[in-house]
């Protein structure tokens, strides 16, 4: 019988192979055509990786936060869109595993997820709330054991490709905007009306246009925990860590191209150190800083989630600041690193038909500051720092 460390290593090797053999070769066309990275996603489905976080008791692999982060990094290194799609799906899975596995419906659903490998999209955005995830205009309307829920979403990543959706909404029509629940709506019980296009600078393969969603279902498809708890304990930390890991993959790939370029220069003039080697050393140092930060925060977060006494820490101001700071620093560093690589590779990095091209990496990197806007997060941090008690 294999130990868990051996199994984890094998799962990570599988995702790395999918990244190299399927995601990477399709990355340029995914970007150019703004299409879904179906090659990578199909490979992940065949390998049962869409349910990797589902506990072994329900048939999943039961992998942890650190392993998920490493998988997002591996995919992001080859195709940022594939890495981000995988990350966003796993955030939804984690929300159900950590907050719904005790409910009979969600226990059954997670077991079925292992067999079906459904892809789950998030519907947290909404027209009119200004990008604030913790506010909803739409509401769940119940009648007996059934509900209806309609939402005008400003974006749904891979909405047309998803099998099921996890949707935020007010608990009831008379609930305040901040009293939210998280609802699973399944393919046969919802419809999407596309309200715009997805023609963007980067992350083009995430296919995230606006939609108007109409849905219905059974009330047992509503997670029992308040969304405020799901957000602070799971959705926000998983989002910031898995997103940052995907951005780390972008930065790693870019530095790899810079390293190959500098080595080519060095071979052309044996015995000399190319002037670009200095900038490479700087980029390498920035990458190390980014990697250490992402890995350390992921490890700390995983320890808290596994601890019997970690809930209070997950709800604390200090933890929220740490998550927000990880998102801000990672989204800034990935752009700085890829910019540095462009300076190293020069015109060969600027040309799209060059093996040292980093145009796609740079465009994808600029999405990081916009996924929950950094200014919004900094404003939240400023307010929390005013009331944070010194240790």
């Amino acid at each position: 019988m294999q130990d868990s460390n051996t199994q984890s290593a094998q799962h990570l090797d599988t995702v790395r192979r999918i990244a190299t053999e399927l995601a990477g070769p399709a990355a340029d066309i995914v970007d150019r055509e703004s299409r879904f990275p179906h090659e990578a996603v199909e490979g992940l489905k065949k390998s049962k990786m869409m349910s990797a976080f589902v506990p072994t008791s329900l048939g999943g692999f039961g992998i942890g936060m650190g392993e998920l982060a490493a998988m997002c990094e591996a995919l992001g290194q080859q195709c940022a869109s594939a890495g981000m799609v995988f990350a966003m799906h796993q955030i939804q899975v984690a929300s159900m595993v950590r907050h719904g596995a005790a409910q009979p419906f969600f226990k059954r659903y997670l077991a079925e997820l292992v067999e079906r490998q459904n892809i789950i999209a998030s519907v947290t955005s909404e027209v009119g709330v200004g990008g604030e995830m913790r506010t909803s205009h739409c509401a769940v309307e119940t009648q007996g054991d059934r509900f209806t829920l309609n939402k005008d979403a400003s974006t749904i990543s891979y909405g047309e490709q998803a099998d099921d959706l996890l949707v935020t909404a007010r608990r009831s029509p008379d609930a305040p905007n901040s009293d939210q629940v998280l609802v699973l709506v399944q393919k046969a019980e919802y419809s999407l009306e596309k309200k715009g296009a997805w023609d963007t600078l980067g992350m083009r393969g995430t296919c995230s246009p606006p939609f108007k969603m109409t849905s219905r279902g059974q009330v047992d498809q509503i997670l029992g925990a308040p969304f405020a708890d799901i957000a602070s304990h799971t959705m926000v930390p998983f989002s910031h860590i898995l997103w940052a890991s995907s951005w780390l993959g972008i930065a790693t790939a870019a530095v790899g191209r810079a390293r190959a370029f500098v080595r080519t220069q060095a071979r052309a003039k044996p015995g000399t150190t190319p002037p670009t080697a200095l900038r490479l050393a700087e980029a390498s140092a920035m990458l190390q800083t980014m990697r250490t930060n992402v890995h350390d925060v992921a490890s700390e977060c995983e320890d808290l989630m596994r601890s019997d006494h970690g809930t209070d820490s997950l709800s604390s101001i200090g933890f929220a600041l740490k998550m927000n700071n990880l998102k801000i620093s990672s989204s800034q560093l990935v752009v700085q690193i890829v910019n540095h690589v462009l300076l190293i590779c020069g015109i060969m990095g600027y040309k799209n038909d060059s093996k040292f091209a980093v145009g796609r990496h740079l465009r994808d990197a600029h999405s990081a500051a916009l996924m929950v806007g950094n200014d919004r997060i900094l404003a939240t941090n400023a307010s929390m720092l005013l009331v944070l008690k010194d240790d």
Side-chain angles (χ1 to χ4, degrees), residues 65 98 231-238 240-241 297-305 310-326 381 384 388:
M65 165 80 80
R98 287 178 43 76
S232 62
H233 297 172
T234 301
M235 189 168 282
V236 170
F238 269 81
H240 289 346
I241 290 169
V297 174
S299 179
E300 180 181 349
C301 185
E302 185 167 19
D303 288 344
L304 288 174
M305 289 180 175
T311 301
D312 289 343
S313 295
L314 293 171
S315 301
S316 69
I317 291 176
F319 181 79
L321 283 166
K322 184 169 289 188
M323 287 296 107
N324 288 348
N325 288 337
L326 173 68
N381 280 4
M384 289 194 292
L388 178 67

Side-chain angles (χ1 to χ4, degrees), residues 200-248:
T200 53
L201 185 69
M203 287 293 178
R204 293 168 59 78
T206 61
C207 302
S208 308
F211 291 94
K212 184 169 284 187
M213 183 208 76
T214 58
S215 70
R216 64 190 187 279
Q218 299 285 338
V219 295
D220 57 3
Q221 294 168 224
I222 304 171
L223 281 162
F227 180 65
D229 292 343
I230 298 172
S232 62
H233 297 172
T234 301
M235 189 168 282
V236 170
F238 269 81
S239 295
H240 289 346
I241 290 169
L242 298 189
W243 291 352
S245 297
S246 297
W247 303 331
L248 177 58

Side-chain angles (χ1 to χ4, degrees), residues 12-33:
L12 181 54
D13 284 345
T14 297
V15 174
R16 284 173 174 158
R17 176 184 54 78
I18 291 168
T20 301
E21 297 179 3
L22 299 176
D28 285 335
I29 194 169
V30 164
D31 174 70
R32 186 166 57 251
E33 297 182 357

Side-chain angles (χ1 to χ4, degrees), residues 54-74:
V54 174
T56 55
S57 60
L58 296 177
F61 296 142
I63 70 170
M65 165 80 80
E67 293 142 316
L68 273 185
M71 290 175 178
C72 292
E73 181 181 344

Side-chain angles (χ1 to χ4, degrees), residues 32-180:
R32 186 166 57 251
E33 297 182 357
S34 192
R35 72 151 172 85
F36 189 68
H38 59 78
E39 299 90 347
V41 172
E42 286 304 312
L44 292 163
K45 286 182 175 183
K46 289 179 182 178
S47 301
K48 301 286 189 180
M49 290 300 164
M50 305 307 281
S51 57
F53 192 75
V54 174
T56 55
S57 60
L58 296 177
F61 296 142
I63 70 170
M65 165 80 80
E67 293 142 316
L68 273 185
M71 290 175 178
C72 292
E73 181 181 344
L75 288 164
Q77 193 169 344
Q78 297 293 333
C79 174
S81 290
M84 193 56 65
V85 167
F86 183 71
M88 290 189 284
H89 165 83
Q90 295 298 343
I91 294 161
Q92 312 318 306
V93 176
S95 296
M96 290 185 287
V97 168
R98 287 178 43 76
H99 301 277
Q103 295 177 233
F105 170 83
F106 285 98
K107 185 175 182 179
R108 289 194 303 272
Y109 178 84
L110 290 168
E112 291 170 0
L113 178 64
V114 176
E115 295 303 315
R116 298 178 182 175
Q117 294 295 295
N118 287 353
I119 182 167
I120 308 162
S122 170
V123 191
T124 56
S125 70
E126 187 173 4
V127 173
V129 301
E132 177 53 64
M133 183 177 71
R134 289 299 325 283
T135 297
S136 290
H137 290 325
C138 67
V140 177
E141 299 188 36
T142 59
Q143 186 171 9
D145 62 353
R146 301 284 297 175
F147 74 82
T148 58
L149 173 58
N150 304 322
K151 188 168 188 176
D152 195 0
S154 52
T155 181
I156 304 179
S157 292
Y158 54 93
E160 290 180 303
Q161 294 78 24
D163 296 298
D164 302 318
L165 308 173
L166 264 182
V167 189
T168 51
R170 285 184 293 143
R171 186 178 301 277
S172 64
D174 58 353
N177 289 351
S178 60
D179 184 9
Q180 297 166 288

